[in-house]
């Protein structure tokens, strides 16, 4: 499936996109209608169509009736509804999420599977391949696949440099003592996915991709200034400012989880002390609940307790929400979003968490903003990041019109072996 | 000087800009050379030139020598270096600052004058007129003036709505009990300046304009991700994100002074409690110094004491700087700037304040960002906002390429009287 990437193949790819775009817009068209609309020579068009049909992207059908009932039925061409055009994969800390769209840009399915945090990259990519295969009952044809958008944990900068995923947040004081040097070259997920699928693989931070998903299809669809906070095993987020997704210098924006909330607080994985993540991550919240005498092994258990009016659960979530709301208020004053979206597993605890967040937000935001900013729960669930990966590939959203291109692995695979250990994951 | 604003005058204005742009780019040109380069008909060009000469924008000069020494000397046209093209005015809380550029886009001068915080708008505009008149010793001709860019205290939103300057930050709990309703119509400074100068008057928040000035000509020139903090009578700032100045939903970005730093702190003018402004404004810092036994009536006095090693001054600035650095670290993690610029009068206390800011910033920012973000003192001084006003008028900076247009007063003046009381000033 691997394609050459020279200028001629780029031109061919452009012609293919032109034809696919016409079929997406107009539905089934005959070769003659396509020819009139696309402006390509008959030879080029037929050549392109033959390839698209052979690759499974386009299927032929006979029209039931021809105009004026004369001649043999005209053959029309239509997008193959089972052909995947783009895949999004979110390699989260302890699980992965995939989503795919077909050539009509309809989401054909999504799937998730948890795994251990130390699962090696080969096995993560293997699992991703199996999940993609399972979409729509295994009928998804990948012959028309154009690219894969991948979210990973940690900072991801653009091609101009800056930290890549795997960049440790520690200055040498961390678990591996590696000193925080940036690894050169592509991310292991990119290399392995490129090997497996033979298409370009674009990379970005997975939480920023979730923000993108929510701002295109989710709780903040159509909003120009959005702050997205994700409360999961890590705490992070993303920003849409003035109608554009924001990456930040060095790819380091949206690291809300590492804002200090308690100078005398617990040590954080990032090397800091008292970060929001040390009180608002899943582990921190469950630990606090257990310390308050509660019993819940996971977030659904905690949510159930809170829903049943368990005092300890409510008190813990109240305290956590108050801290979160204070941070959100500060960020509101600084950045001026009109919508704040809270996602991640902990948001599933519902009003027990959202109400204290809202109270603290309203109490600490500038009074003039108090009734202007809207707090909403995320709506896309755990596949938000995978959907954001698809958006990154399509690059059709105005939110991405000014977004710097992320690291894209499209070159021939290098011959040297790559470091495929699991990246250090701190967010 | 008032000009009609219909489509024909817009066309004429475009022709004028074309001719002025050619003279700006190429220097002195003859009528014939101008004609060849501009593509206008001879009649139109001569007409435009006559108006530009009559208005003082363009002056004629005889070339010292003609080609090959034949014929009479050719007359050339050149920009009048004494003709102002744009004026920036910063109506700060307790003083105003003006700057002007000539037709060659050179800054021809700037001036400042302090005044009482309750000076009525008529007198502020009168003072602004006098200061503009004093620029370059009163030789500045305003015949070629195209527009005025004005900075005011408080939120300013785009033309699509949102709060205007004068919008109180209080929800009815404030000094005037007015309930925070937004006043309709243009700002008094716009109305009065339009009356006086007869040109369009563009409005924006003055601190955001200072950020714009520093990011174009000052400490962060050429940087794509900038956080600007101003420590003055109020505490505020501005953001450049991804190469664009950021206004925020409702014009409410950069309100760093109203981030809560002490939940049990002092009541803030904004209606909140323990805002950064309650500890880091000029008044708060001078009060703290006096409470610590020091004697300084103003910032230069405090700076002098700190420079001489006065223990109380150093301790107060250390405490204030530590608080500021903590807020900046949080904002760094969220927004990811590569440069932080600190301006305003308090920055004049130098390392006594900047060192503790930097220490707290480095201590609380994510370790991975610690050596990536650069802390700098502002370089444009008190006229940064006025220079930003000029930038807003020229709208030539890439920083403004996506910036939403601010409220611009260009229509005929309304016949109804306007509220020209000084706007309530909380930032």
């Amino acid at each position: 499936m691997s394609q050459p990437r020279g200028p001629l193949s780029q031109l061919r790819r452009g012609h293919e996109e032109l034809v696919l775009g016409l079929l997406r817009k107009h539905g089934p068209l005959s070769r003659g209608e396509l020819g009139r609309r696309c402006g390509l020579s008959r030879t080029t068009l037929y050549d392109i169509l033959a390839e698209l049909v052979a690759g499974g992207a386009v299927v032929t059908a006979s029209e039931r009736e021809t105009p004026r009932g004369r001649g043999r039925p005209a053959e029309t061409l239509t997008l193959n509804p089972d052909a995947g055009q783009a895949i999004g994969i979110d390699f989260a800390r302890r699980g992965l999420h995939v989503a795919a769209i077909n050539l009509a840009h309809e989401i054909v399915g999504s799937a998730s599977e948890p795994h251990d945090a130390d699962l090696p990259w080969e096995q993560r990519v293997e699992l991703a391949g199996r999940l993609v295969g399972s979409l729509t009952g295994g009928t998804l044809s990948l012959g028309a696949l154009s690219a894969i958008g991948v979210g990973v944990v940690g900072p991801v900068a653009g091609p101009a440099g800056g930290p890549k995923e795997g960049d440790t947040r520690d200055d040498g004081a961390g678990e591996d003592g590696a000193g925080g040097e940036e690894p050169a070259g592509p991310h292991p997920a990119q290399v392995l996915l490129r090997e497996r699928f033979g298409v370009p693989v674009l990379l970005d931070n997975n939480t920023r991709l979730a923000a993108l998903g929510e701002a295109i299809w989710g709780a903040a669809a159509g909003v120009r200034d959005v702050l997205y906070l994700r409360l999961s095993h890590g705490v992070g987020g993303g920003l849409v400012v003035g109608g554009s997704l924001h990456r930040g210098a060095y790819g380091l924006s949206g690291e809300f989880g590492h804002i200090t909330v308690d100078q005398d607080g617990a040590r954080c994985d990032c090397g800091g002390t008292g970060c929001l993540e040390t009180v608002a991550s899943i582990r921190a919240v469950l630990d606090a609940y257990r310390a308050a005498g509660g019993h819940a092994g996971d977030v659904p258990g905690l949510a159930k307790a809170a829903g049943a009016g368990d005092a300890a659960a409510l008190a813990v979530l109240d305290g956590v929400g108050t801290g979160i709301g204070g941070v959100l208020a500060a960020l509101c004053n600084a950045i001026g979003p009109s919508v704040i979206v809270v996602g991640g597993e902990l948001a599933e605890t519902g009003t027990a968490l959202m109400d204290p967040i809202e109270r603290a937000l309203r109490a600490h935001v500038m009074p003039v903003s108090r009734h202007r900013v809207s707090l909403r729960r995320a709506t896309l669930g755990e596949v938000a990041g995978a959907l954001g990966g698809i958006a990154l590939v399509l690059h059709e959203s105005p939110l991405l019109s000014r977004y710097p291109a992320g690291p894209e692995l499209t070159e021939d695979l290098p011959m040297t072996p790559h470091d495929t250990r699991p990246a250090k994951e701190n967010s």
Side-chain angles (χ1 to χ4, degrees), chain A residues 110-258:
Chain A
S110 62
S112 297
E113 190 153 319
H115 60 65
D116 288 345
D118 59 357
L119 191 71
W121 278 108
E122 286 89 347
Q123 292 178 42
R124 290 182 189 220
V125 169
E126 183 63 33
L127 182 56
R130 282 207 306 276
L131 284 182
V132 168
S134 76
L135 293 181
T136 68
T139 62
L140 189 70
S141 151
L142 296 178
L145 193 66
S146 69
I148 300 176
V150 169
V152 292
V153 172
V156 176
K164 301 290 187 296
E165 210 290 313
D167 185 2
T168 161
R169 302 253 170 90
D170 270 304
D171 280 324
E175 298 158 345
D176 61 8
E181 277 310 300
E182 299 168 17
H187 188 279
Q190 283 184 295
V191 177
L192 294 165
L193 286 167
R194 177 83 171 88
E195 276 176 3
R196 185 182 183 102
F197 291 97
V199 294
V201 180
L202 282 76
L203 193 78
D204 210 328
N205 171 272
N206 63 344
T207 309
R208 206 147 53 216
L209 290 184
L212 178 62
E214 291 288 347
I216 295 177
W217 295 294
V223 180
R224 286 178 58 84
D225 288 281
V226 183
L227 190 157
Y228 169 77
L229 173 71
R230 183 153 75 169
L231 304 167
S232 180
H233 299 287
V235 173
L239 293 170
V240 171
V241 290
S244 298
L245 186 65
H246 176 54
R247 182 177 270 152
Y250 315 111
L252 289 163
S253 73
E255 294 287 358
F256 309 139
H258 300 287

Side-chain angles (χ1 to χ4, degrees), chain A residues 17-38:
Chain A
E17 274 306 316
L18 174 63
V19 170
L20 294 173
L22 286 168
L23 293 175
R24 190 175 299 126
K25 185 173 173 194
H26 298 288
L29 293 174
S30 70
R31 282 183 170 79
E33 287 165 332
L34 264 174
R36 280 189 293 281
R37 290 175 192 274
C38 73

Side-chain angles (χ1 to χ4, degrees), chain A residues 170 172-174 262 264-275 277-278 283:
Chain A
D170 270 304
D262 179 5
D264 308 314
R267 179 90 176 166
C268 180
D269 286 342
C270 79
T273 300
C275 297
E277 189 167 292
T278 66
R283 192 181 66 189

Side-chain angles (χ1 to χ4, degrees), chain A residues 263-296:
Chain A
Q263 298 207 16
D264 308 314
R267 179 90 176 166
C268 180
D269 286 342
C270 79
T273 300
C275 297
L276 180 62
E277 189 167 292
T278 66
V279 300
S281 71
I282 289 176
R283 192 181 66 189
V285 172
L286 290 177
D287 282 354
Y289 181 49
R290 279 189 286 268
H295 303 282

Side-chain angles (χ1 to χ4, degrees), chain A residues 73-110:
Chain A
E75 192 179 59
T76 60
L77 296 131
T78 182
L79 296 177
N80 178 2
D82 298 325
Q85 186 182 17
I87 293 172
I89 306 176
D90 178 358
F91 288 102
R93 191 187 294 257
R94 290 181 180 81
L96 59 84
H97 314 282
V98 303
I101 56 162
N102 63 16
L103 286 161
H105 288 187
E106 298 159 344
I107 294 167
V108 291
S110 62

